[in-house]
Amino acid sequence: MHFTALTQNHLLNELSYTKHVHTPGEVYFPGCTAWWNVQCGLKEMMKIFATEVSKPSSFFADWTADGSTNFREIREVVIETCATDDRYRNDCPFPVHDVVVPIFQSYCDAYFHWYIEIFPRIAPFLDTLMADSATRVTVHIGCDIQPWHIQFFELVGMDSSKVEFVGSEPIFAKEVVLPTPGYSHSPYLNYWNILYLRQRVEQRMGAAGSLSNRRRKILIVVRNKGRRGDTSFFYDSFFQRLYRGLNGTHDIDLFASSNNTLMSCLECQVRAFQSADVIIGSHGAGLSHLVFAKKGAILIERLETSFDSGIYSELSYMVGLKYFPIGKYAHVDAYVDIIQFAEDEMPLKRE
């Protein structure tokens, strides 16, 4: 079979057999080898690789001309060519990196999935990666890199001079540090990694602190930019009625998606959640910052559909919040009642 005619499924099937092939000096992990670790599990990456090896080049000339070549042969030739310590060789078809931490998985460009499922995978390695003696590593993101991807690593205190970030392009890794998967759509399944990241951020930025005994702060997450806007509900009249309903005892701050200054600063967003005594928002990725909310704070989550999952109730439990779901069209008086009940009838011990 001609290589360029291989189907995606065939590529993945061939990939599964690489665990049976031994190459001297290669690092192995269950199911795949050091080099294949930067490829496996990401179908889009396989498409890119198939396109790359089908291009006319001196390195791939025999493979694209000879239909008998299979992935195991390709793998061995690539390893032999790219794993050399000779820095002056330039015949490896991919950029060569010494130590790679691949954290890509589905939806790495989606904020909630990155925040709760993907980035926490790095937690068990932070002490080693941040040690003074740590060598430079490459983090393989797996999708187009956004500024907030980098800001997450800065948030936990990683030295950017010791980290190189790679997007979706195929690379060759001489050594791979392979994190366990980030489980889908449930903070509980990533429990300890998430809480460890919370601890690291609090060590660097300072803990969120205790609830205010004086004027309290309400943070309202307003999605006034993008496909899931809720400004038809959270608008000036709502804010004014909420303020009056609480007898002016709370300050109200807006966490608006249209605030470009705020949205470009991850640390500023985290501090906003850390300082809030009450958080109000519709079901959506903006509530992911609950990871860093102060213990005992109140969350009122506005549920828009019957399909909205319980992910933010899980996060609330994990970090010690008082969680209340509320209907899409609930009147502002219901918000007032919940806040007063939670503050007066469900007091937590002040720290």
Side-chain angles (χ1 to χ4, degrees):
M1 181 182 292
H2 194 283
F3 177 75
T4 55
L6 289 175
T7 65
Q8 188 179 94
N9 287 338
H10 188 87
L11 296 179
L12 296 175
N13 288 337
E14 283 290 330
L15 176 61
S16 67
Y17 294 129
T18 62
K19 62 183 179 181
H20 301 298
V21 181
H22 176 67
T23 302
E26 187 180 357
V27 179
Y28 276 78
F29 294 90
C32 47
T33 66
W35 182 72
W36 282 116
N37 266 330
V38 299
Q39 307 290 342
C40 63
L42 194 63
K43 292 182 179 180
E44 190 61 32
M45 191 71 71
M46 296 304 294
K47 291 181 184 178
I48 296 172
F49 178 73
T51 301
E52 188 69 29
V53 298
S54 66
K55 292 178 181 177
S57 68
S58 58
F59 191 87
F60 292 119
D62 294 339
W63 301 349
T64 56
D66 182 3
S68 64
T69 304
N70 61 39
F71 256 71
R72 280 175 285 183
E73 295 175 32
I74 294 174
R75 168 185 165 278
E76 291 178 3
V77 174
V78 169
I79 290 174
E80 182 181 357
T81 304
C82 299
T84 176
D85 289 330
D86 186 352
R87 293 292 183 181
Y88 297 98
R89 292 188 62 173
N90 58 6
D91 49 354
C92 178
F94 306 108
V96 178
H97 298 260
D98 289 328
V99 181
V100 175
V101 183
I103 59 173
F104 53 69
Q105 59 186 54
S106 296
Y107 306 114
C108 72
D109 56 351
Y111 203 75
F112 167 82
H113 297 279
W114 169 264
Y115 211 135
I116 304 301
E117 300 166 2
I118 301 174
F119 182 67
R121 300 176 66 197
I122 204 78
F125 306 99
L126 279 179
D127 286 343
T128 299
L129 295 175
M130 294 173 63
D132 293 338
S133 59
T135 59
R136 184 175 175 84
V137 299
T138 299
V139 175
H140 203 182
I141 302 293
C143 57
D144 292 340
I145 299 175
Q146 303 299 322
W148 48 265
H149 284 128
I150 312 302
Q151 289 184 42
F152 271 89
F153 289 89
E154 296 172 345
L155 187 68
V156 296
M158 286 191 68
D159 183 353
S160 58
S161 68
K162 290 187 175 182
V163 183
E164 179 177 353
F165 297 97
V166 176
S168 59
E169 58 269 33
I171 61 176
F172 180 90
K174 291 188 175 182
E175 182 178 349
V176 172
V177 179
L178 187 64
T180 56
Y183 293 97
S184 176
H185 226 73
S186 174
Y188 282 159
L189 297 178
N190 304 300
Y191 191 99
W192 293 113
N193 285 2
I194 291 173
L195 291 187
Y196 184 69
L197 290 179
R198 174 183 168 97
Q199 177 182 320
R200 292 300 298 237
V201 171
E202 288 183 341
Q203 288 174 351
R204 192 182 74 82
M205 294 176 52
S210 57
L211 298 176
S212 172
N213 286 309
R214 298 178 181 175
R215 291 190 64 81
R216 295 187 179 179
K217 179 183 293 185
I218 299 175
L219 185 70
I220 302 180
V221 180
V222 182
R223 300 182 307 201
N224 52 4
K225 181 180 180 181
R227 64 183 178 87
R228 299 177 67 182
D230 51 19
T231 52
S232 61
F233 189 83
F234 292 135
Y235 59 101
D236 288 345
S237 178
F238 176 92
F239 308 142
Q240 293 167 5
R241 291 179 181 179
L242 182 65
Y243 183 81
R244 291 197 300 267
L246 293 169
N247 300 315
T249 56
H250 294 65
D251 295 322
I252 298 177
D253 289 343
L254 300 186
F255 187 96
S257 59
S258 62
N259 185 336
N260 294 328
T261 301
L262 179 63
M263 292 298 107
S264 64
C265 174
L266 178 61
E267 184 170 321
C268 302
Q269 297 171 46
V270 169
R271 290 194 184 281
F273 271 72
Q274 283 185 324
S275 64
D277 300 295
V278 180
I279 300 165
I280 296 173
S282 300
H283 180 90
L287 294 180
S288 302
H289 295 300
L290 293 171
V291 171
F292 302 109
K294 66 177 67 173
K295 183 179 179 181
I298 300 164
L299 170 65
I300 303 178
E301 180 187 13
R302 177 174 173 263
L303 301 177
E304 296 189 284
T305 74
S306 58
F307 300 104
D308 287 342
S309 63
I311 50 183
Y312 300 113
S313 63
E314 293 182 12
L315 267 183
S316 298
Y317 175 81
M318 287 170 59
V319 301
L321 307 185
K322 302 174 184 178
Y323 172 81
F324 296 88
I326 197 167
K328 181 177 182 179
Y329 299 111
H331 193 271
V332 65
D333 290 346
Y335 289 80
V336 173
D337 289 343
I338 289 174
I339 293 171
Q340 290 178 335
F341 169 76
E343 291 182 341
D344 297 338
E345 304 300 329
M346 296 177 60
L348 290 184
K349 181 180 180 182
R350 299 282 188 261
E351 294 181 356

